[in-house]
Amino acid sequence: MIIDTQSVRAAAGVAKTTTGLDANKKVSGRKRGLAVDVMGLITGVVVLAASAHDNAAGAALLDRVSERCGMRLEKALVDQGFKDEVVIHGALLDIDVEVVRRNPADQGLRPAAETVGGGADERHPDAASAPGPRVRPQARHLRLTRLLGLHREHDPPPHRTSPGLARHPRTGRVNVAELLADLQSRQDEAAAQAAELRARIEELAADLTETEARLTDLATARKIIAEVTPAGAESEPPETNTTYQAIVNAFNQHPDQAFRARELHELLGMPTEEASVNITRSRLGRLTRQGFLAQPGGGRYQKRT
């Protein structure tokens, strides 16, 4: 059994609901599918919109020829326009669907004498011309090759079947139960891999969010320390910059908590003498004026949000 499709243009008066555009062949109209036996006799016909995929036509043709031929049909040949969906559909109907691939070494049509047989297309020089319209050898060769199905033949013929299909050891037919079990196993394995990848993506997204927040806090602290340093003035001693850094980090770590200057000293383990606390109050006031801190009242300071 040979299955193939062809997209043809529809007449101007045909309803748009029954037509479509074949994007591959740039044809607007309908797609007709034929199933023929080795003698070229038609055993199944379907007509679809040209926008329909070859798989839809192939599955419909397999259903029709299976209903008509029954167990007598064992094998069907299709071209590369048909995908795995047709192969699997044929396996469910106990039909071996083979995708015949074009041999890159073949170019054009073979000579008629080579295709049909040596001397089959030659006429005796004294023989009279046959009555009726004359057919050029090229056109006659085309008809013979299409009739015999040789235009799809390879050299040598591949006779390949779809890999991975479980077959009965005695009859060679596809075992549908084993095929479905194998597909289910592959689906479960793919689902497990997808779940593992989703978990890794969520973990990486959480790490990225945490790192970006830390990067923002560090950039803010650096900006504020640079702003609180008077322009043109001498740089403060390293211990002063370290103190500012410690204060900014403390408010970043407790963004919802308000501190007094003395409480901040106790949190950071700094001296609690009044002179040292007053210096910290001055620094907190400077950070408030720079917009990093807010002063809710009562001598308390909190990170501005």
Side-chain angles (χ1 to χ4, degrees), residues 141-203:
H141 161 67
L142 179 61
R143 293 179 184 177
L144 287 174
T145 54
R146 290 192 176 276
L147 177 62
L148 299 178
L150 298 177
H151 67 295
R152 296 181 182 274
E153 191 177 14
H154 292 203
D155 189 16
H159 296 298
R160 292 196 298 257
T161 56
S162 299
L165 296 181
R167 299 182 178 277
H168 194 278
R170 183 172 57 83
T171 63
R173 294 180 175 250
V174 176
N175 191 322
V176 178
E178 293 185 9
L179 174 62
L180 294 178
D182 181 61
L183 292 176
Q184 183 64 41
S185 175
R186 295 183 183 182
Q187 180 180 355
D188 295 340
E189 182 180 356
Q193 292 179 354
E196 181 180 355
L197 291 176
R198 292 192 192 96
R200 291 178 58 186
I201 290 174
E202 293 177 357
E203 181 179 355

Side-chain angles (χ1 to χ4, degrees), residues 10-267:
V14 176
K16 293 294 184 181
T17 56
T18 61
T19 61
L21 174 63
D22 187 341
N24 187 26
K25 299 181 180 179
K26 304 298 187 292
V27 175
S28 178
R30 291 176 176 171
K31 177 175 293 186
R32 57 192 179 192
L34 291 179
V36 299
D37 59 13
V38 294
M39 298 297 295
L41 303 177
I42 298 176
T43 57
V45 178
V46 294
V47 178
L48 305 172
S51 56
H53 197 276
D54 286 353
N55 288 340
L61 286 171
L62 287 174
D63 291 336
R64 296 197 179 187
V65 298
S66 176
E67 181 180 356
R68 173 171 294 184
C69 301
M71 298 299 295
R72 295 176 298 170
L73 179 59
E74 296 184 358
K75 190 168 187 177
L77 302 178
V78 298
D79 60 17
Q80 293 178 263
F82 298 87
K83 306 305 179 184
D84 293 341
E85 181 180 345
V86 177
V87 178
I88 296 175
H89 190 79
L92 297 177
L93 298 175
D94 207 7
I95 301 174
D96 182 12
V97 179
E98 177 182 350
V99 179
V100 180
R101 304 186 182 277
R102 180 179 178 85
N103 190 347
D106 292 343
Q107 296 183 357
L109 300 173
R110 299 182 184 179
E114 179 186 350
T115 305
V116 181
D121 194 49
E122 297 179 359
R123 299 180 59 85
H124 194 277
D126 298 332
S129 300
R134 298 181 61 185
V135 180
R136 291 180 296 177
Q138 182 179 2
R140 180 165 51 207
H141 161 67
L142 179 61
R143 293 179 184 177
L144 287 174
T145 54
R146 290 192 176 276
L147 177 62
L148 299 178
L150 298 177
H151 67 295
R152 296 181 182 274
E153 191 177 14
H154 292 203
D155 189 16
H159 296 298
R160 292 196 298 257
T161 56
S162 299
L165 296 181
R167 299 182 178 277
H168 194 278
R170 183 172 57 83
T171 63
R173 294 180 175 250
V174 176
N175 191 322
V176 178
E178 293 185 9
L179 174 62
L180 294 178
D182 181 61
L183 292 176
Q184 183 64 41
S185 175
R186 295 183 183 182
Q187 180 180 355
D188 295 340
E189 182 180 356
Q193 292 179 354
E196 181 180 355
L197 291 176
R198 292 192 192 96
R200 291 178 58 186
I201 290 174
E202 293 177 357
E203 181 179 355
L204 291 175
D207 292 344
L208 177 61
T209 302
E210 181 180 354
T211 303
E212 288 180 343
R214 182 183 176 188
L215 179 62
T216 302
D217 292 341
L218 292 174
T220 303
R222 181 177 180 277
K223 178 181 178 182
I224 291 174
I225 293 175
E227 290 178 352
V228 297
T229 303
E234 296 183 358
S235 300
E236 295 186 4
E239 59 272 12
T240 304
N241 292 333
T242 304
T243 304
Y244 272 112
Q245 183 68 49
I247 294 174
V248 171
N249 289 339
F251 281 103
N252 284 333
Q253 294 174 3
H254 306 83
D256 299 329
Q257 185 174 353
F259 294 96
R260 295 180 182 274
R262 189 174 296 277
E263 294 174 349
L264 191 61
H265 270 244
E266 295 175 355
L267 176 65

